Amino acid sequence: MEVRDMEGLVAVVTGGASGIGAAIADALHARGARVAVLDRVGADSPYRILRCDVTRDDTVTTAITDVVSGLGRLDIVVNNAGIGAVGTVADNDDAEWLRVLDVNVLGAVRVSRAALPHLRKSPHAAIVNVCSIAATAGLPQRAVYSATKGAVLSLTQAMAADHVREGIRVNCVNPGTVDTPWVQRLLAAADDPVRERTALEARQPHGRLVTAQEVAHAVAYLASPLAASTTGTALAVDGGMAALRLRPPASADAQPAQPILA
Ligand code: NAD
């Protein structure tokens, strides 16, 4: 069923040139929003693409100003741009911590800060942050990445409190492992990509990877004027990975190996 609940609204999606961000742009467009994509790389996209590195405040403010001058308003911000990192707390130096925090946490801060004056003028203002299962469950070899996503979860709640009386809602989605170019790159680098994929699929109770479209629909729900009473929430899109505790399969032999990737 087609829902056109975003007619007349303007949305910005960071990291919309690939994977989950591209699917979010499609989902918001399908609901009637005019969509601008902010990404550090270009892409063959049907939407307005603005080159923007979320680690550079000057490119962020310029991009947001360009969106508002070009499309006339700003109602929805999706902070999706993000990067991964592998290792325990012992494995990464300060430079790596600061690099990942700069994109995953401060990137959302910079984009939200630039957008707030425009969102305050919208009757349907919403920010949706793309967080992760890594914010709510301990995953091996993901210390830096998990810390950044834990920060995104707390930031979401703090921002929701700060801006609720201004009519700006702030929520996040927590995807499990999603079949995107990011995960495909990680799988390609694994010693045994087929075995690794099988292990990742088995880690999610519904037995498969999440699709980018499933995450996008959750984001669209939270961004929608139809969710006007929903703020400060984290919506898991993880096949039950965060919430369910299943008994192991009947045969112990059927248990796949523990995945290495998050
Ligand atoms: P992806 O690598 O396919 O896409 C990420 C996009 O972000 C790319 O287009 C990239 O150019 C852009 N980007 C990266 N750094 C940027 C910067 N500094 N400035 C502007 N754009 C930048 O990744 P994806 O799998 O689609 O992940 C998107 C988001 O979803 C990330 O925040 C990630 O942490 C989160 N997430 C992904 C998964 C997963 O399994 N794929 C799971 C949970 C959460």
Side-chain angles (χ1 to χ4, degrees), residues 15-21 38-41 52-55 80-83 103 130-132 145 149 175-178 180-183 185:
S18 174
I20 294 170
L38 273 51
D39 207 298
R40 69 179 170 183
V41 301
C52 166
D53 182 340
V54 297
T55 67
N80 164 77
I83 56 175
V103 178
V130 178
C131 192
S132 171
Y145 180 71
K149 291 300 182 178
T177 305
V178 189
T180 68
W182 168 336
V183 168
R185 284 193 298 273

Side-chain angles (χ1 to χ4, degrees), residues 49-235:
I49 293 245
L50 293 103
R51 288 292 187 94
C52 166
D53 182 340
V54 297
T55 67
R56 290 189 44 201
D57 200 46
D58 57 340
T59 70
V60 169
T61 53
T62 299
I64 294 293
T65 301
D66 287 355
V67 169
V68 175
S69 61
L71 299 177
R73 57 190 289 160
L74 180 55
D75 306 278
I76 295 165
V77 170
V78 182
N79 287 309
N80 164 77
I83 56 175
V86 177
T88 71
V89 74
D91 295 329
N92 296 121
D93 61 14
D94 287 7
E96 178 68 346
W97 275 87
L98 293 171
R99 184 180 77 88
V100 186
L101 280 162
D102 201 12
V103 178
N104 292 4
V105 184
L106 285 165
V109 170
R110 292 186 188 99
V111 173
S112 301
R113 189 167 58 206
L116 274 172
H118 309 290
L119 294 177
R120 288 190 182 106
K121 296 177 192 159
S122 167
H124 300 295
I127 296 174
V128 184
N129 297 323
V130 178
C131 192
S132 171
I133 176 76
T136 57
L139 304 179
Q141 296 285 326
R142 287 293 180 275
V144 182
Y145 180 71
S146 300
T148 67
K149 291 300 182 178
V152 170
L153 177 59
S154 297
L155 177 68
T156 300
Q157 293 166 330
M159 286 176 60
D162 283 336
H163 303 295
V164 64
R165 290 187 177 143
E166 298 178 322
I168 302 169
R169 298 181 301 106
V170 187
N171 293 287
C172 68
V173 291
N174 289 350
T177 305
V178 189
D179 198 353
T180 68
W182 168 336
V183 168
Q184 287 151 16
R185 284 193 298 273
L186 288 169
L187 285 173
D191 289 341
D192 185 342
V194 173
R195 184 179 159 85
E196 183 63 20
R197 188 183 179 95
T198 303
L200 285 173
E201 288 170 346
R203 188 168 67 176
Q204 290 172 154
H206 69 341
R208 62 170 175 82
L209 300 190
V210 175
T211 69
Q213 288 70 28
E214 289 166 335
V215 180
H217 285 301
V219 170
Y221 162 70
L222 291 170
S224 166
L226 298 174
S229 292
T230 302
T231 191
T233 64
L235 179 52

